[in-house]
Amino acid sequence: MEAAAAVAPSGLRASFLDVLLSRRRNLQVALTVEPGSPVKRPLYQGRPPMGRSEAMESCPRKGVVNSKEKLVEENFYLITESGEQGRVPVLLLKLNDTTPKRKPVIVFLHSSYKCKEWLRPLLEAYASRGYISVAIDSRYHGERANNNSTYIDALKSAWRNGDAMPFILDTVWDLIKLGDHLSEREDVDPCRIGITGESLGGMHAWFAAVVDTRYSVVVPIIGVQGFRWAIDNNKWQARVDSIKPLFEEARIDLGKSEIDTEVVEKVWDKIAPGLDSQFDAPFSLPVIAPRPLLLLNGAEDPRCPVLGLQEPVSRAAKAYEEVGSADKFMFIAEPGIGHQMTANMVKEASDWFDRFL
């Protein structure tokens, strides 16, 4: 583990990219755009959300006269590789104005079992303030799912066959290609592309920023954790429970009577290589420096235990200090909050983007 700490940022990025490329089916697919349509009945896997999200509805908006009429919506697909999952559904919102011609962008990533439409209140709020707001469906979610078990089925298949990385990494590949698309748009300022996400989306934001420096302002929400620390300190249960059918299948395959540390390690190694080793938080978070990085967590979050973030946060803070950018890194653990995105987190995130983007 200590050897990983000595890897230069460029070396870690290169290693991460090598892992992503190792399971791409066809690298010769040109990045193309296909038209799409608004989704009338979004697919939520598992238990569908009950009502509206107070946290997302709390995002500050700017009073714009006839804002609904001025809101421009784009629905399209990015083709990032061959195969069904290489077709990335994108939802983009912005105001219909041309001042300035090139605008800052924020990419939003949804949590497990949800979809890009769930993020619409955030997209609209940021669009009202002059940002271009972008959301995608993560792999095996939303338009990339066929039924209520698509994501879990994909995780099980990855465990059995080792041919895909549906937990985090394959979506990171899509976010690199999304960065390609955004950087080429005439309405985008390519030097001002921010990224954020909730839970699984927070992990997507974290690792996309690690491998792709075009994401210039980064705000993972309830997503960053120490995977190795959780294993070493027997604190992996809550994360495992979030996708438990996968681990149950692995337990059976490994002939175990219960899910244990060995099962957890073998699953991570198979479906997300390096997640609990060279790409874990202590080594990957410092690589984001000197780009502004805000980490938002709940102080009582069992999936992202704060104790497991002490070393990553310390290393990241040191990295920012060494490049004279200590003011561009902040870690906030909201007291009394578990694995939940709160209105306060939404406000902190919006302030951070307004400050640095």
Side-chain angles (χ1 to χ4, degrees), residues 3 94 231 277 304 310 333:
K94 62 179 182 178
I231 291 171
S277 55
C304 305
Q310 289 181 345

Side-chain angles (χ1 to χ4, degrees), residues 5-33:
V7 176
S10 59
L12 189 143
R13 290 191 188 99
S15 296
F16 197 105
L17 189 58
D18 284 344
V19 171
L20 297 184
L21 292 173
S22 70
R23 300 193 191 177
R24 306 276 67 81
R25 294 176 178 85
N26 185 346
L27 298 180
Q28 304 307 313
V29 173
L31 181 66
T32 55
V33 179

Side-chain angles (χ1 to χ4, degrees), residues 36-106:
S37 302
V39 176
K40 295 180 179 179
R41 300 183 67 178
L43 174 62
Y44 295 94
Q45 298 178 63
R47 186 172 63 185
M50 301 299 290
R52 304 170 75 90
S53 166
E54 179 182 349
M56 285 193 286
E57 295 287 350
S58 70
C59 190
R61 294 171 179 252
K62 184 177 180 180
V64 178
V65 178
N66 298 324
S67 60
K68 289 290 185 182
E69 289 77 9
K70 292 181 179 179
L71 200 63
V72 176
E73 175 175 340
E74 295 182 22
N75 294 272
F76 57 92
Y77 301 94
L78 285 183
I79 310 304
T80 64
E81 63 178 289
S82 62
E84 183 181 81
Q85 291 297 319
R87 194 166 184 258
V88 184
V90 183
L91 170 61
L92 181 151
L93 297 180
K94 62 179 182 178
L95 288 182
N96 185 20
D97 62 62
T98 57
T99 307
K101 181 180 179 181
R102 292 184 178 269
K103 298 177 181 292
V105 178
I106 302 178

Side-chain angles (χ1 to χ4, degrees), residues 87-347:
R87 194 166 184 258
V88 184
V90 183
L91 170 61
L92 181 151
L93 297 180
K94 62 179 182 178
L95 288 182
N96 185 20
D97 62 62
T98 57
T99 307
K101 181 180 179 181
R102 292 184 178 269
K103 298 177 181 292
V105 178
I106 302 178
V107 175
F108 300 82
L109 291 315
H110 60 76
S111 53
S112 299
Y113 310 112
K114 294 189 175 72
C115 56
K116 63 187 182 305
E117 285 74 27
W118 173 248
L119 298 167
R120 192 175 183 98
L122 287 177
L123 302 181
E124 291 183 356
Y126 276 94
S128 75
R129 305 212 309 273
Y131 294 98
I132 295 176
S133 304
V134 178
I136 69 168
D137 284 326
S138 300
R139 296 270 175 142
Y140 308 98
H141 287 77
E143 293 185 76
R144 304 169 90 174
N146 299 316
N147 53 54
N148 285 337
S149 66
T150 297
Y151 180 45
I152 290 296
D153 292 344
L155 292 170
K156 291 179 179 180
S157 176
W159 161 254
R160 290 192 302 268
N161 303 316
D163 59 348
M165 299 181 290
F167 184 69
I168 304 176
L169 301 190
D170 282 342
T171 296
V172 172
W173 173 260
D174 296 332
L175 292 169
I176 293 172
K177 308 309 286 184
L178 177 64
D180 291 342
H181 170 74
L182 293 174
S183 298
E184 294 171 356
R185 288 178 62 111
E186 294 183 353
D187 56 350
V188 167
D189 182 341
C191 296
R192 294 194 293 164
I193 302 176
I195 191 167
T196 185
E198 174 194 9
S199 192
L200 176 63
M203 289 187 274
H204 288 149
W206 159 21
F207 285 109
V210 166
V211 73
D212 193 336
T213 59
R214 292 174 299 187
Y215 290 111
S216 57
V217 182
V218 189
V219 186
I221 302 175
I222 61 171
V224 176
Q225 72 164 99
F227 285 90
R228 185 75 244 170
W229 180 93
I231 291 171
D232 291 343
N233 291 274
N234 196 34
K235 297 292 185 182
W236 45 261
Q237 291 81 0
R239 173 61 61 197
V240 165
D241 284 346
S242 69
I243 47 177
K244 194 168 185 178
L246 160 66
F247 289 89
E248 284 290 352
E249 179 142 324
R251 173 191 68 77
I252 295 169
D253 290 347
L254 294 170
K256 299 273 188 170
S257 60
E258 62 182 19
I259 299 171
D260 60 13
T261 297
E262 182 185 3
V263 174
V264 176
E265 287 183 306
K266 287 185 178 299
V267 168
W268 291 148
D269 287 345
K270 190 72 170 288
I271 73 167
L275 189 64
D276 63 356
S277 55
Q278 76 257 41
F279 306 136
D280 202 1
F283 311 121
S284 58
L285 283 182
V287 167
I288 298 175
R291 291 166 287 155
L293 170 62
L294 171 63
L295 307 180
L296 296 168
N297 284 74
E300 311 301 327
D301 189 342
R303 295 188 194 176
C304 305
V306 170
L307 286 176
L309 289 173
Q310 289 181 345
E311 182 184 6
V313 167
S314 175
R315 290 192 181 203
K318 181 180 179 181
Y320 278 82
E321 289 170 3
E322 288 177 347
V323 294
S325 300
D327 63 326
K328 293 182 179 179
F329 174 71
M330 185 177 294
F331 170 61
I332 300 175
E334 190 170 339
I337 297 299
H339 193 70
Q340 173 190 356
M341 184 174 74
T342 67
N344 186 63
M345 293 177 187
V346 171
K347 180 63 165 57

